[in-house]
Amino acid sequence: MSQIHELETLFNNFASLFDQLSTLQKEKMEAVHQDDLQRVDHCMQQEQALVLQLRGLQRQKDSLHEALGLSGVPLKKISEHLSPADRTLLAPSISRFQTAYQIYQSAAAASRALLESTLQEIDRQLAHMKKPASVAAPGAQGSFTDIKA
């Protein structure tokens, strides 16, 4: 397989992974809305597994970029460094990758905001549930009974 075809496969794999992550973010938000902590936990575990896959793809990208002489070039700018023919070949895969990544970023931001606001609400409710403990300071008037023996 040529390196350009490997790059096309890599873009498609990244896009597929971001699609999965986006779907998972939506599922996690639904679980939060339903107060289903088990499902939220399950989503977070799946997310961790997908992030590991993402790291593997990142390593593939780095080695492929090195082989193409494009070390340090981010994926979103790679088309600027390709020949017109290769750019045309990769255009659909790059477009799919960019769209999937943008959708994921949006879903992840919404999920993060929902989780943060839910945790803040839980903190507020816990604070209201706690009753202030009335502990008298030593020497405070009326707090101790004066017993003389």
Side-chain angles (χ1 to χ4, degrees):
M1 182 185 298
S2 76
Q3 292 172 334
I4 294 302
H5 283 73
E6 286 180 43
L7 192 56
E8 180 181 31
T9 300
L10 187 65
F11 274 115
N12 289 332
N13 289 343
F14 268 116
S16 177
L17 194 56
F18 285 125
D19 287 342
Q20 290 175 49
L21 283 165
S22 296
T23 300
L24 193 55
Q25 296 304 314
K26 292 172 188 171
E27 184 180 332
K28 185 169 37 173
M29 286 189 291
E30 184 180 302
V32 169
H33 281 298
Q34 295 174 352
D35 295 329
D36 189 343
L37 292 179
Q38 264 186 329
R39 202 163 128 210
V40 170
D41 184 52
H42 179 70
C43 289
M44 292 175 80
Q45 289 173 5
Q46 286 181 308
E47 187 176 19
Q48 288 174 346
L50 291 173
V51 167
L52 289 176
Q53 289 179 23
L54 189 61
R55 288 183 185 158
L57 288 177
Q58 183 68 33
R59 283 192 294 275
Q60 289 177 3
K61 177 203 88 72
D62 291 344
S63 64
L64 187 56
H65 275 126
E66 190 175 312
L68 290 168
L70 300 172
S71 294
V73 177
L75 278 175
K76 65 182 181 178
K77 293 188 177 192
I78 199 157
S79 64
E80 299 169 11
H81 299 275
L82 300 173
S83 70
D86 291 340
R87 195 175 306 135
T88 301
L89 176 70
L90 291 176
S93 297
I94 291 172
S95 177
R96 182 173 176 255
F97 160 75
Q98 290 173 332
T99 301
Y101 182 68
Q102 289 170 347
I103 291 170
Y104 164 69
Q105 281 186 316
S106 177
S111 176
R112 185 173 29 260
L114 177 62
L115 284 170
E116 287 173 358
S117 68
T118 301
L119 288 173
Q120 289 171 354
E121 180 60 29
I122 290 170
D123 283 343
R124 279 192 293 273
Q125 289 179 7
L126 287 174
H128 281 84
M129 290 173 65
K130 290 182 180 177
K131 292 183 181 179
S134 57
V135 177
Q141 201 171 31
S143 59
F144 294 102
T145 306
D146 190 5
I147 302 177
K148 293 184 180 179

